[in-house]
Amino acid sequence: MKKVMMIAAIAAALVSCQSKGNQNNAPMDEGVMAVAGNDSSAVAVYEGILPAADGPGIQYVLSVDSIGPNGESSYTLVTTYLDAAGKGKNQSFTSTGKRQVIRKDAGNKKKTAYKLTPDNGDSPVYFVVVNDTTLRLVNDSLQEAVSDLNYDIVQVQ
């Protein structure tokens, strides 16, 4: 488990360093992909630019490890607010914590979602599993935003 956490931390650090050096609106290089550890667990990385109220978007990079033998799992989420401090000046924040897979009825449909609970006590973030490679940001009731905007992050290979 410690190896997986270390791999996730390294991946997050690489992504964070890359986003600080890349101060334009171009998406990050998709060089950080799925990483396999020596203990047969893997880290999956999801990425996407979601809508923002006061800017061109928020880039999400989510790294999750596979569920271990004791049912525990962890995540690292790097959110980069594009142009947050002015044109070409992005601001990044990193959240780490536990990932829990939940199954729940929402809108008369059974849904599977990831509940990301930050270690620092902030409110959990929820992503519903759309398919094998796509997660969608939702509220705590697993309801999608009433909007035509894209709230999906996709797994990078």
Side-chain angles (χ1 to χ4, degrees):
M1 188 63 156
K2 289 182 180 182
K3 290 179 184 177
V4 173
M5 289 297 294
M6 183 62 89
I7 291 170
I10 291 170
L14 289 172
V15 170
S16 178
C17 290
Q18 186 174 6
S19 68
K20 288 178 184 174
N22 182 7
Q23 295 294 325
N24 60 23
N25 287 343
M28 281 191 220
D29 180 17
E30 295 181 6
V32 179
M33 308 299 170
V35 179
N38 291 338
D39 59 358
S40 299
S41 45
V43 174
V45 179
Y46 297 85
E47 183 178 316
I49 297 177
L50 280 55
D54 295 332
I58 305 168
Q59 182 171 33
Y60 280 68
V61 178
L62 172 63
S63 302
V64 293
D65 67 346
S66 57
I67 296 176
N70 58 359
E72 288 187 6
S73 179
S74 61
Y75 77 90
T76 300
L77 177 63
V78 178
T79 51
T80 301
Y81 291 76
L82 306 176
D83 294 345
K87 185 77 172 160
K89 296 181 182 174
N90 304 333
Q91 287 185 331
S92 294
F93 302 92
T94 301
S95 169
T96 59
K98 295 201 183 293
R99 173 188 70 151
Q100 178 183 7
V101 177
I102 58 175
R103 290 172 179 78
K104 183 174 176 178
D105 286 335
N108 295 326
K109 292 183 182 179
K110 291 211 180 271
K111 294 187 177 183
T112 301
Y114 294 164
K115 177 182 179 183
L116 308 178
T117 305
D119 290 337
N120 66 3
D122 284 350
S123 298
V125 176
Y126 295 83
F127 285 94
V128 72
V129 177
V130 176
N131 58 40
D132 290 343
T133 60
T134 306
L135 303 177
R136 181 169 296 144
L137 184 66
V138 294
N139 66 16
D140 61 352
S141 298
L142 305 187
Q143 297 171 328
E144 298 176 15
V146 182
S147 169
D148 291 334
L149 300 175
N150 181 13
Y151 287 88
D152 293 352
I153 58 175
V154 295
Q155 187 173 10
V156 292
Q157 298 292 329

